């Protein structure tokens, strides 16, 4: 179905017509044919200055995906052309509805970035019907609009947490610093160690350093060294997550030792009280001793460790 519309301007955009169709999977699409206004159609996508035309419009149209409309996929279609900028060289002319090198509209990228700041990436990917890795690219494109003055996020830090996490199957690390008062990430960098954490402290002003009162983290020496060097007057604490983790790990080791001892005792009791032929009697004292020892290593026992049997 093709329905021509009266041309009108929406943020330097002229809507020409639209087409409603269904793809081979039965998904409905609305494809909107649009173009920029005449006066900004040769702008550079990076510095937004009007530049000379480098070549004519492409013979193949470019498709941008927009936000869904009631479950219907929205697309914007336009035949782009290139311009030559004295500062940025040859590039595709700016279109007002999309970021440079993006195949999504600005509102789509911004919506994805907003969802990604509150939801897991897998949930955002499923809801927006995009690839898992696309989420990160959408966030990168909208970063300047969402946080135009990112240095201000480091102002007024009082209680911060420092930790490293593993990604890409444990082969790479990323150091993350959070603001405990706002529960937000304020800084992150690839790798871990003192040299990485020093990058964070060195970019802080004396006022920003003096405002930090509490630093939490695990027991890593490189965190303690940086805290003592750059913020010697703040309190260095071990965060509750690692305290609980270490306590549970220690408790698990005690549980394993108890089970090991109980299992060895059960094997010895079973050896000292061999079972005869036939079914034992209920009042058989030897059978009662073996049964009591077995109860300590059974799956119902709190110290049960099923995977340790093969090690003994």
């Amino acid at each position: 179905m093709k329905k021509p519309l009266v041309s009108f301007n929406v943020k330097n955009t002229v809507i020409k017509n639209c087409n409603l169709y269904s793809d081979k999977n039965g998904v409905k699409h609305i494809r909107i044919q649009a173009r920029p206004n005449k006066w900004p159609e040769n702008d550079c996508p990076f510095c937004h200055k009007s530049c000379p035309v480098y070549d004519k419009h492409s013979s193949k149209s470019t498709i941008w995906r927009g936000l869904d409309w009631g479950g219907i996929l929205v697309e914007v279609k336009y035949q782009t052309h290139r311009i030559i900028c004295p500062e940025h060289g040859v590039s595709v002319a700016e279109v007002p509805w999309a970021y440079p090198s993006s195949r999504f509209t600005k509102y789509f990228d911004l919506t994805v970035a907003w969802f990604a700041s509150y939801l897991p990436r897998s949930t955002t990917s499923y809801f927006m019907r995009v690839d898992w890795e696309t989420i990160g690219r959408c966030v990168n494109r909208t970063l300047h609009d969402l946080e135009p003055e990112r240095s201000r996020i480091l102002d007024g830090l009082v209680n911060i947490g420092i930790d490293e996490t593993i990604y890409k199957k444990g082969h790479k690390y990323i150091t993350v610093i959070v603001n405990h008062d706002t529960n937000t990430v304020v800084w992150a960098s690839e790798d871990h160690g003192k040299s990485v954490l020093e990058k964070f402290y060195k970019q802080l002003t004396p006022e920003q350093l003096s405002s930090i009162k509490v630093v939490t983290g695990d027991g890593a020496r490189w965190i303690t060294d940086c805290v003592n060097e750059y913020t010697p007057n703040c309190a260095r604490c071990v965060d509750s997550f690692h305290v609980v983790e270490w306590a549970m790990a220690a408790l698990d080791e005690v549980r394993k030792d108890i089970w090991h001892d109980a299992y060895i005792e059960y094997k010895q009791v079973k050896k000292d009280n061999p079972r005869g032929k036939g079914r034992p009697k209920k009042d058989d004292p030897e059978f009662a001793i073996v049964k009591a020892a077995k109860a300590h290593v059974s799956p119902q026992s709190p110290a049960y460790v099923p995977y340790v049997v093969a090690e003994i």
Side-chain angles (χ1 to χ4, degrees), residues 211-228:
S211 68
I212 299 176
K213 302 302 180 184
V214 177
V215 177
T216 66
D218 57 17
R221 180 66 179 270
W222 54 273
I223 297 179
T224 304
D225 290 342
C226 285
V227 170
N228 293 337

Side-chain angles (χ1 to χ4, degrees), residues 179-190:
N179 184 349
H180 285 311
D181 297 319
T182 60
N183 196 27
T184 57
V185 175
V186 297
W187 190 85
S189 178
E190 290 189 27

Side-chain angles (χ1 to χ4, degrees), residues 233-245:
N233 296 324
C234 78
R236 167 73 166 94
C237 306
V238 179
D239 60 72
S240 57
F241 172 81
H242 287 93
V243 171
V244 174
E245 183 184 31

Side-chain angles (χ1 to χ4, degrees), residues 48-98:
H48 311 293
K49 296 179 180 179
S50 182
C51 302
V53 177
Y54 183 77
D55 56 12
K56 297 181 180 180
H57 288 271
S58 173
S59 59
K60 186 178 180 180
S61 298
T62 302
I63 306 296
W64 292 265
R65 183 182 164 191
L67 289 172
D68 295 354
W69 183 65
I72 302 176
L73 291 178
V74 177
E75 302 168 341
V76 180
K77 179 180 179 181
Y78 173 62
Q79 289 179 301
T80 59
H81 66 284
R82 293 187 294 178
I83 50 92
I84 180 167
C85 177
E87 182 179 354
H88 300 98
V90 178
S91 60
V92 177
E94 180 181 20
V95 291
W97 57 80

Side-chain angles (χ1 to χ4, degrees), residues 201 203-212 230:
Y201 280 106
Q203 74 181 41
L204 298 179
T205 63
E207 293 77 12
Q208 291 172 333
L209 286 172
S210 62
S211 68
I212 299 176
Y230 294 97

Side-chain angles (χ1 to χ4, degrees), residues 26-300:
V27 179
K28 292 184 178 180
H29 297 245
I30 295 179
R31 180 165 294 179
I32 301 171
Q33 292 187 7
R35 65 171 177 81
N37 274 334
K38 285 295 182 181
W39 62 271
E41 68 176 354
N42 296 324
D43 286 357
C44 174
F46 305 104
C47 62
H48 311 293
K49 296 179 180 179
S50 182
C51 302
V53 177
Y54 183 77
D55 56 12
K56 297 181 180 180
H57 288 271
S58 173
S59 59
K60 186 178 180 180
S61 298
T62 302
I63 306 296
W64 292 265
R65 183 182 164 191
L67 289 172
D68 295 354
W69 183 65
I72 302 176
L73 291 178
V74 177
E75 302 168 341
V76 180
K77 179 180 179 181
Y78 173 62
Q79 289 179 301
T80 59
H81 66 284
R82 293 187 294 178
I83 50 92
I84 180 167
C85 177
E87 182 179 354
H88 300 98
V90 178
S91 60
V92 177
E94 180 181 20
V95 291
W97 57 80
Y99 292 105
S101 304
S102 176
R103 289 297 174 264
F104 302 98
T105 63
K106 289 182 178 180
Y107 287 116
F108 188 95
D109 282 336
L110 288 167
T111 302
V112 170
W114 187 87
F115 273 117
S117 63
Y118 293 96
L119 299 173
R121 182 178 290 195
S122 57
T123 304
T124 304
S125 173
Y126 175 79
F127 183 80
M128 300 301 293
R129 293 192 280 184
V130 294
D131 185 74
W132 192 85
E133 295 182 352
T134 303
I135 306 299
R137 293 191 285 268
C138 292
V139 172
N140 288 334
R141 286 190 290 264
T142 60
L143 186 59
H144 180 71
D145 286 348
L146 295 176
E147 296 180 351
E149 298 180 8
R150 289 191 293 277
S151 60
R152 295 182 60 183
I153 201 172
L154 301 177
D155 292 342
L157 296 177
V158 179
N159 305 300
I160 65 173
I162 302 173
D163 198 7
E164 77 277 2
T165 184
I166 302 174
Y167 69 102
K168 287 193 175 180
K169 297 183 179 179
H171 297 294
K172 292 187 177 181
Y173 286 84
I174 182 171
T175 301
V176 180
I177 298 178
V178 299
N179 184 349
H180 285 311
D181 297 319
T182 60
N183 196 27
T184 57
V185 175
V186 297
W187 190 85
S189 178
E190 290 189 27
D191 213 343
H192 70 296
K194 185 177 180 180
S195 60
V196 176
L197 187 56
E198 283 181 333
K199 297 178 184 178
F200 165 74
Y201 280 106
K202 288 180 178 179
Q203 74 181 41
L204 298 179
T205 63
E207 293 77 12
Q208 291 172 333
L209 286 172
S210 62
S211 68
I212 299 176
K213 302 302 180 184
V214 177
V215 177
T216 66
D218 57 17
R221 180 66 179 270
W222 54 273
I223 297 179
T224 304
D225 290 342
C226 285
V227 170
N228 293 337
E229 181 178 353
Y230 294 97
T231 54
N233 296 324
C234 78
R236 167 73 166 94
C237 306
V238 179
D239 60 72
S240 57
F241 172 81
H242 287 93
V243 171
V244 174
E245 183 184 31
W246 297 336
M248 295 303 296
L251 183 61
D252 199 47
E253 290 298 322
V254 173
R255 181 178 63 86
K256 290 179 182 178
D257 292 340
I258 294 175
W259 188 90
H260 272 284
D261 295 340
Y263 186 77
I264 293 174
E265 181 182 355
Y266 163 67
K267 298 292 287 185
Q268 186 63 40
V269 169
K270 188 176 180 181
K271 182 179 180 181
D272 295 340
N273 299 273
R275 180 178 175 180
K277 295 182 179 179
R279 188 173 182 178
K281 298 180 180 179
K282 292 183 178 180
D283 56 350
D284 189 343
E286 295 180 352
F287 174 72
I289 295 174
V290 175
K291 186 177 180 181
K294 185 178 180 181
H296 292 292
V297 295
S298 66
Q300 288 73 30

